[in-house]
Amino acid sequence: MNILILGSGGREHAFAWKLAQSKKIEKLFIAPGNAGTALVGTNIPVSVTDFDAIKNLVLKNKINMVIVGPEDPLVKGIHDFFLADELLKNIPVIGPQKDGAQLEGSKDFSKQFMMRHNIPTARYETFTKETLNEGLRFLETLQAPYVLKADGLAAGKGVIIPTTLDDAKKELTEMLANAKFGDASAKVVIEEFLKGIELSVFVLTDGNSYKILPSAKDYKRIGEGDTGLNTGGMGAVSPVPFADEAFIKKVEQRVIVPTINGLKKEGILYKGFIFIGLMNVNGNPQVIEYNVRMGDPETETVIPRIKSDLLDLFEGVANGNLHEKSFEVDARFATTVMLVAGGYPEEYKKGDEISGLELVEGSFAFHAGTAQQLATNDQQPVVTNGGRVIAITSYGDTMEDALKRSFANAERIQYKGKYYRKDIGNDLK
Ligand code: AMP
Ligand code: GLY
């Protein structure tokens, strides 16, 4: 089969690395990809939201399946675009249609969905510019800290957690009356603050049956001890030690089954990944959010732990026979440490040469934000091309072993301004 992966991060390099090992693969393309995906497939410089250009490249390269990495094209309806096109409609897309993608595209939709299907989540209300005053009064009924969520996609920045009532009121006013996040904050969800440890559980579904993928925990803040600004994710650990069989069983019964059944009941045919962000509140899972894709950097720990042929699983999703597919997980831990550019998540430089990639030993270096620089001589150095640069993933019989390897290799890679968190996994020890 000829496969196209859409995206350009560490998640997509991990997908590409895994799919390249499939017996069923003929040609692998990644659009737009990065210097790492170029090692296992062919990059094509097309944007993930340029549907017409994607159509051309799919037809030209006789692509048999498209795997969508990020949420943007899904929320914008790439799957619907394929289904509506005579030439594309039989080419399966892994990722939900627009209706299912609302689980991530609208916080209000996802909260209402959870309410309709009795899925445990924080108490909430939704407000608009017209109901700003009610929103301000609602804040007064809650205890600090306050959780304010822009309804729409806001590049991961749409959740604000003020610690005082005054700040919460100011933020709500900024979001609703002053359109702080543009259209994305035309509606704002205010919810109760949940206290506990976060983790993510991932599900792959063909719309009926599902496979529960390994759990993972990511580290969102830039600073050690979970301080400072939010990032896309600074590292990950899989499995999450406290998410034992009994806990995952609760997640399955209280969250996964009602989610899959709820989608079916509402006539939403969902084919793809469901990423369930959870808070473990005294041993009970509460849903913080749904995403309609895999997480990044969680994918870099989850995918290496899947022993089964990923393309075979994707065929199960496409053909509706996922339940017939074997699914095996590596018992070892996998840990990912993310190397980022100096200054990230605020302003940072691109184009700095990366050295030492060939010195990495006993870990995978999944490229996140890298590019191959065009040079006049034969050498085409790999340079930084994003805030998150390289994800270093290692296996270990224990979490500590795996982390030790990731940190050792983090030292071997060099570029100007390199930074990484040295406390990944510390809270789980
Ligand atoms: P989200 O984009 O919904 O995942 O929110 C971003 C982050 O905000 C989450 O990863 C949590 O750390 C935090 N968060 C969101 N909702 C809540 C909540 N109800 N209680 C506590 N923390 C939350
Ligand atoms: N690492 C969090 C995310 O992918 O949304």
Side-chain angles (χ1 to χ4, degrees), residues 40-73:
V40 287
T42 306
N43 287 346
I44 303 196
V46 159
S47 149
V48 299
T49 50
D50 187 345
F51 295 175
D52 290 321
I54 291 168
K55 173 177 174 175
N56 287 337
L57 93 82
V58 163
L59 296 176
K60 185 166 158 234
N61 295 290
K62 302 193 165 48
I63 298 293
N64 305 109
M65 182 187 282
V66 179
I67 291 117
V68 186
E71 64 278 15
D72 219 22

Side-chain angles (χ1 to χ4, degrees), residues 379-425:
Q379 282 169 345
Q380 300 192 332
V382 175
V383 296
T384 64
N385 192 41
R388 295 189 293 170
V389 178
I390 302 269
I392 301 179
T393 296
S394 320
Y395 293 117
D397 290 331
T398 63
M399 185 178 71
E400 284 81 357
D401 272 357
L403 283 168
K404 221 195 238 166
R405 279 193 196 105
S406 289
F407 288 129
N409 283 310
E411 280 305 307
R412 295 186 173 122
I413 295 174
Q414 300 297 338
Y415 55 84
K416 253 185 246 148
K418 178 184 81 176
Y419 168 76
Y420 62 94
R421 270 180 66 171
K422 297 189 174 67
D423 66 338
I424 304 300

Side-chain angles (χ1 to χ4, degrees), residues 60-97:
K60 185 166 158 234
N61 295 290
K62 302 193 165 48
I63 298 293
N64 305 109
M65 182 187 282
V66 179
I67 291 117
V68 186
E71 64 278 15
D72 219 22
L74 294 168
V75 173
K76 293 199 165 104
I78 188 156
H79 195 154
D80 313 65
F81 174 85
F82 269 63
L83 290 173
D85 187 292
E86 268 315 301
L87 299 174
L88 300 178
K89 68 179 183 200
N90 294 320
I91 300 171
V93 174
I94 305 301
Q97 296 169 54

Side-chain angles (χ1 to χ4, degrees), residues 342-371:
Y344 174 78
E346 295 184 281
E347 238 173 84
Y348 58 85
K349 256 185 73 201
K350 290 183 182 178
D352 285 321
E353 191 168 333
I354 303 170
S355 64
L357 282 163
E358 71 290 351
L359 303 177
V360 170
E361 208 184 301
S363 300
F364 305 112
F366 291 122
H367 292 221
T370 69

Side-chain angles (χ1 to χ4, degrees), residues 2-317:
N2 295 335
I3 302 293
L4 171 66
I5 300 172
L6 295 179
S8 61
R11 168 180 52 211
E12 287 75 21
H13 187 188
F15 279 149
W17 165 82
K18 179 72 178 164
L19 289 171
Q21 298 166 43
S22 170
K23 287 194 287 291
K24 302 180 174 197
I25 195 107
E26 283 167 53
K27 289 191 191 145
L28 178 61
F29 297 90
I30 308 94
N34 61 36
T37 60
L39 300 171
V40 287
T42 306
N43 287 346
I44 303 196
V46 159
S47 149
V48 299
T49 50
D50 187 345
F51 295 175
D52 290 321
I54 291 168
K55 173 177 174 175
N56 287 337
L57 93 82
V58 163
L59 296 176
K60 185 166 158 234
N61 295 290
K62 302 193 165 48
I63 298 293
N64 305 109
M65 182 187 282
V66 179
I67 291 117
V68 186
E71 64 278 15
D72 219 22
L74 294 168
V75 173
K76 293 199 165 104
I78 188 156
H79 195 154
D80 313 65
F81 174 85
F82 269 63
L83 290 173
D85 187 292
E86 268 315 301
L87 299 174
L88 300 178
K89 68 179 183 200
N90 294 320
I91 300 171
V93 174
I94 305 301
Q97 296 169 54
K98 230 174 174 172
D99 53 3
Q102 284 301 293
L103 282 183
E104 177 165 1
S106 166
K107 300 270 187 206
D108 181 46
F109 174 89
S110 80
K111 293 297 278 191
Q112 289 192 34
F113 178 88
M114 288 184 252
M115 291 295 139
R116 284 197 290 277
H117 303 291
N118 265 320
I119 295 165
T121 189
R123 190 165 69 90
Y124 82 107
E125 285 200 33
T126 301
F127 300 94
T128 61
K129 197 171 175 176
E130 288 67 41
T131 57
L132 172 60
N133 285 330
E134 282 97 315
L136 295 171
R137 276 200 297 279
F138 181 64
L139 283 172
E140 287 171 5
T141 70
L142 300 175
Q143 307 254 318
Y146 305 86
V147 182
L148 275 54
K149 300 185 174 184
D151 175 57
L153 291 186
K157 299 193 168 65
V159 176
I160 296 186
I161 307 190
T163 49
T164 67
L165 183 58
D166 263 4
D167 284 349
K169 286 182 167 178
K170 260 185 230 145
E171 281 294 347
L172 183 66
T173 309
E174 276 297 304
M175 287 165 93
L176 287 176
N178 302 334
K180 176 167 181 172
F181 298 104
D183 276 354
S185 65
K187 280 188 205 167
V188 172
V189 167
I190 302 180
E191 67 180 39
E192 207 174 27
F193 183 83
L194 298 171
K195 240 183 137 144
I197 308 188
E198 269 182 85
L199 76 156
S200 302
V201 171
F202 304 92
V203 175
L204 181 65
T205 179
D206 60 7
N208 280 303
S209 66
Y210 57 85
K211 305 282 188 207
I212 304 178
L213 311 185
S215 63
K217 181 175 192 304
D218 91 341
Y219 292 80
K220 288 210 171 85
R221 305 292 194 95
I222 189 72
E224 290 177 9
D226 258 320
T227 53
L229 294 174
N230 251 322
T231 70
M234 296 295 292
V237 171
S238 175
V240 181
F242 67 77
D244 55 12
E245 215 173 299
F247 183 82
I248 295 294
K249 200 84 221 153
K250 284 187 197 169
V251 174
E252 181 171 20
Q253 285 165 349
R254 299 178 193 177
V255 180
I256 297 173
V257 170
T259 299
I260 302 281
N261 287 343
L263 288 165
K264 276 202 312 202
K265 259 189 228 152
E266 300 192 12
I268 296 174
L269 177 59
Y270 194 109
K271 285 178 180 287
F273 292 101
I274 309 177
F275 161 163
I276 306 168
L278 295 167
M279 193 72 88
N280 174 0
V281 183
N282 302 320
N284 293 310
Q286 295 263 343
V287 178
I288 293 180
E289 63 166 348
Y290 288 110
N291 293 309
V292 297
R293 53 174 171 87
M294 282 297 288
D296 193 349
E298 293 92 326
T299 306
E300 291 94 300
T301 59
V302 169
I303 290 292
R305 294 191 59 226
I306 296 178
K307 286 183 166 175
S308 313
D309 183 330
L310 186 61
L311 187 44
D312 187 47
L313 289 165
F314 285 156
E315 278 192 293
V317 171

